[in-house]
Amino acid sequence: MPTLGNPTGTIEILKKYNFNFQKRFGQNFLIDSHILEKIVESAEITKEDCVLEIGPGIGTMTQYLAESAGQVIAVEIDKSLIPILEDTLSPYDNVTVINEDILKVDIQKLVEEQNAGKPIKVVANLPYYITTPIIMGLFESHVPLDSITIMVQKEVADRMQVTKDYGALSLAVQYYAKPEIVAYVSPGCFIPKPNVGSAVIRLKRYDRPPVEVRDEAFLFRLIRAAFNQRRKTLANGIGNAGDIPCGREQAQEALEKLGFSPSVRGEALTLQEFALLSNEIYYKIYG
Ligand code: SAM
């Protein structure tokens, strides 16, 4: 039975270890059992599953995951939480805690070692300061994965669901996965209370992306170039990108060929249009 996921159990553990919250690590711990149950339920976790949890904190969600999954791998950056996790997770023999920065972990290798390369499920109450690199990293590195069920800032979840894009993250999500908001979560469900609203979103990975491109990495270089320099035209952004060997004029020509104004901005294009542009420019450069 989970002992955390409520204010009393959480405060008791925090006091026992005299824990100091680290703002720089985005530490807001869940204290609402209904939300925790909802997350585990919507991630559709079974005893067959290997779950990667990013940022277990004091082990609140880890306890819920350990009850439902076959195996849980939890990666936590803050070393002062490790003795706490040893305590709160002591009833479970199916949890491995790794004290590491998730952005430095070779997740591909981890999945190979711990789950024989079979797809994992990622479940996390994410540290909001690194939402984008975590999600982009998981998708772009082609870690074998079935779904990502995560708590993120409300606005970020809303943006991931729209079909007209507003940024590189929304486009990456549309390319790789079907997003579905599972719940909106108020600040009162955490200790300490965050100063933004939150939402749980489930990203179910597609077997095949909805658009076809000659080179996926090239598509995302183009998307990054478009949104790294938001105030510039798309052609300028591409022309200035160090990792795309295409000048501004060439980019303008490609845009005009596809029926866009040469001064169009990145946010005006849909994923389908970015895919067409990427194929056109790729063809111009590499033939
Ligand atoms: N899962 C816990 C819960 O739901 O109560 C804690 C969630 S809290 C929002 C985010 C957690 O991620 C914190 O424990 C924090 O220390 C950890 N964290 C922050 N940056 C991290 C990183 N780069 N790698 C791994 N863990 C990180």
Side-chain angles (χ1 to χ4, degrees):
M1 267 294 281
T3 52
L4 301 167
N6 58 76
T8 320
T10 302
I11 291 166
E12 203 175 289
I13 280 287
L14 295 174
K15 280 205 176 129
K16 179 174 171 189
Y17 287 90
N18 203 9
F19 179 73
N20 288 317
F21 286 97
Q22 300 265 4
K23 219 174 168 178
R24 70 194 163 110
F25 289 147
Q27 292 175 339
N28 301 96
F29 300 156
L30 268 168
I31 49 164
D32 187 309
S33 59
H34 297 295
I35 299 293
L36 285 151
E37 279 157 16
K38 183 102 194 168
I39 294 172
V40 175
E41 183 196 319
S42 59
E44 295 174 348
I45 294 174
T46 70
K47 285 284 170 203
E48 304 295 305
D49 287 319
C50 172
V51 175
L52 169 65
E53 187 191 5
I54 299 164
I58 57 171
T60 308
M61 193 144 72
T62 328
Q63 290 188 339
Y64 283 76
L65 293 170
E67 299 267 343
S68 313
Q71 200 199 154
V72 182
I73 308 165
V75 178
E76 172 57 59
I77 196 170
D78 185 350
K79 70 172 184 314
S80 71
L81 285 166
I82 303 305
I84 304 184
L85 287 165
E86 276 166 15
D87 180 352
T88 59
L89 300 176
S90 60
Y92 303 98
D93 61 3
N94 58 346
V95 181
T96 309
V97 174
I98 300 172
N99 183 203
E100 199 32 291
D101 177 347
I102 190 67
L103 298 177
K104 294 190 183 142
V105 173
D106 183 344
I107 304 176
Q108 193 99 31
K109 195 165 147 229
L110 195 67
V111 176
E112 196 54 59
E113 286 167 1
Q114 304 275 340
N115 202 37
K118 293 193 302 286
I120 52 157
K121 288 181 175 165
V122 175
V123 182
N125 170 13
L126 283 188
Y128 295 167
Y129 74 108
I130 44 169
T131 301
T132 300
I134 289 177
I135 300 176
M136 297 285 273
L138 283 168
F139 281 140
E140 286 190 71
S141 63
H142 289 271
V143 170
L145 83 96
D146 175 76
S147 62
I148 304 180
T149 307
I150 40 172
M151 178 91 70
V152 296
Q153 198 174 321
K154 179 187 173 297
E155 288 71 20
V156 175
D158 286 338
R159 250 187 287 146
M160 282 191 219
Q161 270 209 324
V162 292
T163 48
K164 192 88 180 159
D165 76 275
Y166 293 101
L169 178 61
S170 324
L171 284 171
V173 166
Q174 285 172 44
Y175 183 80
Y176 289 108
K178 182 176 182 307
E180 187 194 337
I181 292 181
V182 173
Y184 286 107
V185 184
S186 69
C189 297
F190 303 86
I191 288 182
K193 287 184 190 169
N195 44 24
V196 292
S198 303
V200 178
I201 190 162
R202 189 174 76 127
L203 309 172
K204 177 96 182 127
R205 179 147 199 162
Y206 290 130
D207 291 332
R208 260 165 164 243
V211 295
E212 257 186 53
V213 284
R214 304 250 323 247
D215 184 323
E216 201 174 282
F218 188 78
L219 168 70
F220 281 97
R221 285 209 287 278
L222 204 72
I223 289 173
R224 281 212 181 77
F227 294 101
N228 277 347
Q229 310 186 2
R230 259 181 192 275
R231 276 164 294 144
K232 294 218 159 72
T233 64
L234 180 52
N236 266 329
I238 295 169
N240 291 338
D243 57 357
I244 304 176
C246 169
R248 180 171 56 89
E249 288 80 15
Q250 272 181 306
Q252 284 178 332
E253 278 168 29
L255 282 165
E256 282 184 306
K257 184 161 174 208
L258 296 174
F260 292 105
S261 150
S263 60
V264 72
R265 285 173 195 278
E267 55 266 34
L269 270 66
T270 61
L271 175 65
Q272 282 68 20
E273 290 163 343
F274 263 109
L276 290 174
L277 182 66
S278 143
N279 287 342
E280 184 62 33
I281 296 181
Y282 190 92
Y283 175 73
K284 260 184 186 298
I285 302 172
Y286 303 108

